[in-house]
Amino acid sequence: MNRMQWKVAMGAALLGLCSFAAYAQSTPPAAPAGNDANPAPHNNWRRGGGGSERELERLTHALTLTADQQTGVKALLEQQSMQMKALRAKTQTQTEAAGNTETAESRQAGITQMDQIRDETDTKISALLDDTQKKTFADMIARRKAAMARHESREGNPPPSATGPGAI
């Protein structure tokens, strides 16, 4: 093989490798397993999302849930998921109607409603647990709320307790 043929062959090989790398980056991720017709966007995994199945697995492991408890918790988490999706859809519709401008007040109202949905679900889940599990679950909730407050303060938003009822 002469020098020119070798350069052409190497150039073609390099072009092929670059093309493969570009294709691999442009291929969308595979759809998650499950019956969810509208799977959560990929970036929700970074924010701790992942849906009711992932949360059920986490709670089952942390609380050592029985099969009956898993069934009840799964139903409650799915109900919460549906309520959250409906709230997001409603908020998006209202934002679009207002000319795609979300105000700080509307954002805070949405956050407050999501917090209420989460609190209601937490109360219902707690009712399914024994005393030891309730203590562990209460600790998990306290850690989650502290993490959410830290996140809100990093974004420059006041923590929910500073703007909610009973604020000083």
Side-chain angles (χ1 to χ4, degrees):
M1 187 186 282
N2 68 28
R3 187 174 176 99
M4 185 59 131
Q5 289 174 331
W6 186 81
K7 285 182 179 179
V8 170
M10 291 306 289
L14 183 59
L15 182 61
L17 286 173
C18 291
S19 298
F20 177 76
Y23 175 76
Q25 291 178 358
S26 67
T27 304
N35 297 335
D36 193 3
N38 296 320
H42 180 67
N43 64 355
N44 277 352
W45 288 97
R46 281 181 289 180
R47 292 186 289 166
S52 56
E53 288 295 323
R54 185 172 178 199
E55 182 68 6
L56 177 62
E57 289 176 20
R58 190 175 72 84
L59 291 174
T60 298
H61 176 73
L63 302 172
T64 317
L65 297 177
T66 66
D68 288 342
Q69 287 174 324
Q70 288 179 35
T71 302
V73 168
K74 180 178 181 178
L76 292 170
L77 291 173
E78 287 174 350
Q79 178 184 18
Q80 173 184 295
S81 177
M82 296 300 288
Q83 290 174 323
M84 293 285 199
K85 285 179 185 178
L87 179 59
R88 280 191 288 272
K90 175 184 165 191
T91 302
Q92 182 177 1
T93 302
Q94 289 173 345
T95 300
E96 290 171 357
N100 288 332
T101 55
E102 181 181 46
T103 64
E105 292 82 18
S106 66
R107 177 170 162 63
Q108 188 59 45
I111 290 171
T112 301
Q113 287 177 311
M114 286 188 170
D115 287 343
Q116 288 172 346
I117 292 169
R118 253 186 238 105
D119 289 344
E120 289 170 9
T121 302
D122 290 343
T123 300
K124 292 174 184 176
I125 289 173
S126 186
L128 300 173
L129 305 176
D130 65 33
D131 291 339
T132 305
Q133 291 170 322
K134 284 180 183 180
K135 170 79 171 99
T136 304
F137 188 58
D139 291 343
M140 291 171 68
I141 293 169
R143 286 193 304 271
R144 181 186 72 207
K145 287 184 178 188
M148 289 172 71
R150 283 191 307 272
H151 177 75
E152 289 292 321
S153 67
R154 277 196 310 262
E155 288 186 352
N157 298 326
S161 60
T163 59
I168 299 175

